């Protein structure tokens, strides 16, 4: 049985009464678990303080006296981390920063680095692949709303609050490329809403098409992408999906569709979740691309942990639309320690993909405040060993030294820290597990259609 401690001060007398009551009720044992919901009372013991240790020793003696099994949780709070976990030891994901360059000349350009509050990243690979995309500076953006900066929705990754129109008319963001341009995907950053299926407890229900869970309800689309041949009559390309609130901090969503060619495009925003209550839509980082992309790749690449639904299938791309793996160039060695890319780029347009490992930023929850910290990297032997040695093993050794070690197990609560899809030695580990190198296929992790490694990747991180 979970036995929570930490919110209130504990006394030996009260703990003994609890344990005796458990024994009398037929409970076979306890998991000593520091878990705090809400504010901790001022007099509650601090993690691994003298008073805390005395309580642990007392529980060890009493469970032995009463014949109860005694286990300890792997961490203060849930699920596995603490102040000893630094960004390099924390949960990580693979992030890709894209730069559009024109070849046929010498390229010397400072590449952007990932932005996170920990100021930590580690380069993995720099690859270049051919593209048909053009610079955003070649498109003209306008809006029917004078109280918002539509161009900034494309220029920065900052989420902009789009107020609900008072006149109940949709927000229209018009895009004019001056000449017809082929598009195959739209990608955007969006503020989450509602509750994700993986955050909702599945409950018994009759067989049905949609998920049934506590607190879950289907969200409406936030609008749609449209195209026009004359700038007057518009047709739908695709509905723009919302992002459900899950355990992750990742906010990008990519939607793919069959190729559309037009000069004029338009983003229509209306009817998003709780718009009827005056809730603003948070949106930014919009990217329109003519490159073939994997529909909602963020879920398939392990950036967000969510069920893969039937409507997440990608278009049936032709061979000419996908990127041949032999056309992808590894230019990792062309990136200097100063962050400047120096490369004699072949003729044509290229996307430079800088793949970096970054922390997901997830922290432990609901523990004694002084013992909280980053979640450890669950895919790293070194990081999980550090977590074990910094908490559970300290308890194990201390009980040994006091000759009262009757611990029978280590428990780990539900993992509610979101997805992780990368770790330090992932490339070499993938090679050993799957028998081939993932390196040239890394663009798949940024949603590009290159070969078929998705299944192998999923098996490897699972």
């Amino acid at each position: 049985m979970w036995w929570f401690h930490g919110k209130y001060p504990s006394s030996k007398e009260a703990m003994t009464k609890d344990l005796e009551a458990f024994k009398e009720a037929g409970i076979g044992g306890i998991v000593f678990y520091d878990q705090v919901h809400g504010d901790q009372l001022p007099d509650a013991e601090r993690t691994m303080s003298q008073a805390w240790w005395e309580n642990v020793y007392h529980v060890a003696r009493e469970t032995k006296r009463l014949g109860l099994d005694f286990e300890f949780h792997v961490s203060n709070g849930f699920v596995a981390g603490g102040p000893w976990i630094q960004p390099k030891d924390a949960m990580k994901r693979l992030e890709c920063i894209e730069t559009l360059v024109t070849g046929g000349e010498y390229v010397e350009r400072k590449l952007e680095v990932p932005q996170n509050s920990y100021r930590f990243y580690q380069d993995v690979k720099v690859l270049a692949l051919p593209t048909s995309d053009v610079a955003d500076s070649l498109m003209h953006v306008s809006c029917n709303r004078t109280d918002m900066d539509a161009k900034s929705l494309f220029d920065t990754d900052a989420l902009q609050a789009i107020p609900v129109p008072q006149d109940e008319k949709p927000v229209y963001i018009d895009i004019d490329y001056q000449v017809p341009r082929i598009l195959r995907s739209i990608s955007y950053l969006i503020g989450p809403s509602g509750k994700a299926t993986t955050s909702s407890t599945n409950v018994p229900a009759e067989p049905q098409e949609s998920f049934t869970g506590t607190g879950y309800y289907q969200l409406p689309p936030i609008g749609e992408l449209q195209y026009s041949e004359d700038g007057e009559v518009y047709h739908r390309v695709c509905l723009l999906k919302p992002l459900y609130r899950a355990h992750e901090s990742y906010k990008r969503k990519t939607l793919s569709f069959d190729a559309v060619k037009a000069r004029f495009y338009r983003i229509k925003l209306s009817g998003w979740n709780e718009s009827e209550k005056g809730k603003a839509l948070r949106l930014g980082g919009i990217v329109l691309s003519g490159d073939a992309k994997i529909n909602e790749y963020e879920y398939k690449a392990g950036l967000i942990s969510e069920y893969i639904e039937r409507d997440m299938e990608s278009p049936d791309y032709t061979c000419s639309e996908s990127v041949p793996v032999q056309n992808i160039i590894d230019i990792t060695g062309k990136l200097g320690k100063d962050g400047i890319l120096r490369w004699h780029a072949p003729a044509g347009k290229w996307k430079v993909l800088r793949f970096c490992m970054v922390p997901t930023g997830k922290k432990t929850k609901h523990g004694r405040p002084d013992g909280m910290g980053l979640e450890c990297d669950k895919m790293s032997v070194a990081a999980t060993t550090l977590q074990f040695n910094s908490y559970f093993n300290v308890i194990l050794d201390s009980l040994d030294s006091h000759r009262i070690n009757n611990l029978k197990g280590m428990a780990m609560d539900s993992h509610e820290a979101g997805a992780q899809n990368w770790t330090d030695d992932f490339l070499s580990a993938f090679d050993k597990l799957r028998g081939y190198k993932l390196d040239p296929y890394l663009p798949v992790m940024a949603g590009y259609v290159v070969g078929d490694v998705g299944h192998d990747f999923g098996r490897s991180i699972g």
Side-chain angles (χ1 to χ4, degrees):
M1 185 185 76
W2 297 125
W3 193 28
F4 290 168
H5 295 265
K7 184 176 178 66
Y8 306 100
S10 298
S11 72
K12 295 181 177 63
E13 295 79 8
M15 288 191 291
T16 292
K17 287 182 179 180
D18 272 359
L19 293 169
E20 288 175 344
F22 298 157
K23 179 68 176 180
E24 186 177 345
I27 294 171
I30 56 95
V31 175
F32 193 100
Y33 191 173
D34 281 345
Q35 187 167 142
V36 178
H37 290 265
D39 295 332
Q40 182 187 48
L41 296 187
D43 295 335
E45 302 82 16
R46 292 174 61 85
T47 305
M48 295 191 176
S49 64
Q50 184 61 39
W52 184 90
W53 278 114
E54 288 175 1
N55 287 340
V56 171
Y57 301 148
H58 179 73
V59 170
R61 295 188 185 98
E62 289 296 87
T63 51
K64 185 174 184 179
R65 177 179 70 84
L66 294 167
L68 293 171
D69 285 349
F70 177 31
E71 298 183 12
F72 229 92
H73 193 257
V74 68
S75 174
N76 167 63
F78 70 82
V79 62
W84 43 82
I85 300 297
Q86 300 301 307
K88 66 181 180 64
D89 308 307
M91 292 175 63
K92 305 177 187 76
R93 66 170 175 245
L94 189 67
E95 190 163 311
C96 177
I97 298 179
E98 301 184 2
T99 304
L100 190 65
V101 302
T102 300
E105 59 185 20
Y106 181 68
V107 175
E108 186 169 345
R109 182 179 299 186
K110 182 90 170 178
L111 297 186
E112 293 183 29
V113 299
Q115 299 298 316
N116 59 73
S117 59
Y118 303 98
R119 298 183 179 180
F120 173 84
Y121 72 92
Q122 185 174 308
D123 278 305
V124 175
K125 283 287 176 181
V126 183
L127 303 177
L129 72 163
T131 181
S132 60
D133 283 349
V134 297
D136 287 345
S137 59
L138 299 178
M139 68 182 188
H140 179 264
V141 178
S142 60
C143 183
N144 67 332
R145 292 279 296 274
T146 58
D147 58 346
M148 59 178 283
D149 181 6
K151 189 65 168 67
S152 69
L153 292 171
F154 298 82
D155 292 341
T156 74
D157 283 349
L159 294 181
Q160 183 178 156
I162 301 174
V164 177
Q166 296 301 314
D167 55 10
E168 297 185 357
K169 292 181 179 179
V171 176
Y172 288 109
I173 301 168
D174 293 286
I175 302 144
D176 181 359
Y177 280 106
Q178 311 302 316
V179 296
R181 185 188 165 194
I182 294 175
L183 292 184
R184 291 184 176 88
S185 72
I186 180 171
S187 176
Y188 47 89
L189 292 166
I190 180 172
S193 185
K195 190 176 184 180
T197 57
T198 48
S199 299
S200 308
T201 303
N202 204 186
V203 295
E206 293 295 325
Q208 53 192 294
E209 290 296 320
S210 61
F211 175 86
T212 300
T214 54
Y216 173 82
Y217 57 94
Q218 286 187 313
L219 301 179
I222 64 170
E224 60 185 57
L225 175 65
Q226 303 173 335
Y227 77 96
S228 173
E229 297 174 350
D230 56 10
E232 297 292 334
V233 179
Y234 282 83
H235 311 277
R236 178 189 293 173
V237 177
C238 69
L239 291 173
L240 302 179
K241 291 186 175 183
L243 179 68
Y244 288 84
R245 182 174 285 106
H247 295 298
E248 290 82 16
S249 59
Y250 203 79
K251 296 181 176 66
R252 182 161 291 282
K253 179 174 283 288
T254 299
L255 302 173
S256 304
F257 42 82
D258 291 326
V260 177
K261 186 174 183 179
R263 170 182 169 176
F264 304 98
Y265 292 90
R266 185 167 74 178
I267 296 173
K268 174 186 175 182
L269 301 173
S270 65
W272 56 83
N273 186 43
E274 296 187 345
S275 59
E276 73 280 1
K277 299 180 182 179
K279 182 179 179 180
L281 172 68
R282 295 186 298 131
L283 194 68
I286 300 175
V287 178
L288 296 167
S289 175
D291 294 329
K293 301 295 284 282
I294 300 167
N295 189 40
E296 300 196 64
Y297 78 86
E298 295 85 358
Y299 301 96
K300 301 164 187 177
L303 292 165
I304 302 175
S305 102
E306 184 62 290
Y307 296 116
I308 306 299
E309 303 286 353
R310 294 172 184 170
D311 63 354
M312 290 183 183
E313 290 185 2
S314 299
D316 189 13
Y317 294 117
T318 64
C319 291
S320 62
E321 291 177 294
S322 62
V323 183
V325 68
Q326 62 268 24
N327 290 359
I328 297 172
I329 306 174
D330 188 339
I331 55 173
T332 306
K334 306 298 182 182
L335 181 65
K337 292 183 179 179
D338 55 3
I340 296 177
L341 176 70
R342 299 175 178 86
W343 176 43
H344 289 281
K349 291 187 178 70
W350 297 87
K351 272 187 183 172
V352 174
L353 310 182
R354 183 178 191 175
F355 289 97
C356 301
M357 180 178 69
V358 300
T360 68
K362 299 307 290 186
K363 298 179 179 179
T364 53
K365 297 186 290 188
H366 306 308
R368 296 179 193 260
D370 59 289
M372 304 292 276
L374 287 166
E375 284 279 348
C376 74
D377 182 344
K378 311 302 186 300
M379 296 167 66
S380 165
V381 172
T384 51
T385 300
L386 172 63
Q387 170 62 32
F388 178 81
N389 287 338
S390 300
Y391 189 76
F392 188 86
N393 205 33
V394 175
I395 297 164
L396 202 62
D397 288 346
S398 186
L399 290 173
D400 270 341
S401 67
H402 283 74
R403 300 175 185 270
I404 49 173
N405 188 357
N406 59 323
L407 271 179
K408 287 199 171 181
M410 179 180 73
M412 183 170 176
D413 202 345
S414 56
H415 176 76
E416 299 178 30
Q420 169 181 352
N421 73 350
W422 206 258
T423 192
D424 301 70
D425 61 347
F426 191 91
L427 287 177
S428 59
F430 185 94
D431 190 1
K432 291 178 182 176
L433 283 169
R434 307 301 164 212
Y436 66 95
K437 292 188 177 298
L438 179 63
D439 308 41
Y441 297 98
L442 276 179
V444 171
M445 299 296 294
Y448 292 92
V449 181
V450 184
D452 184 17
V453 297
H455 180 63
D456 282 349
F457 179 80
R459 290 168 60 208
S460 299
I461 65 173

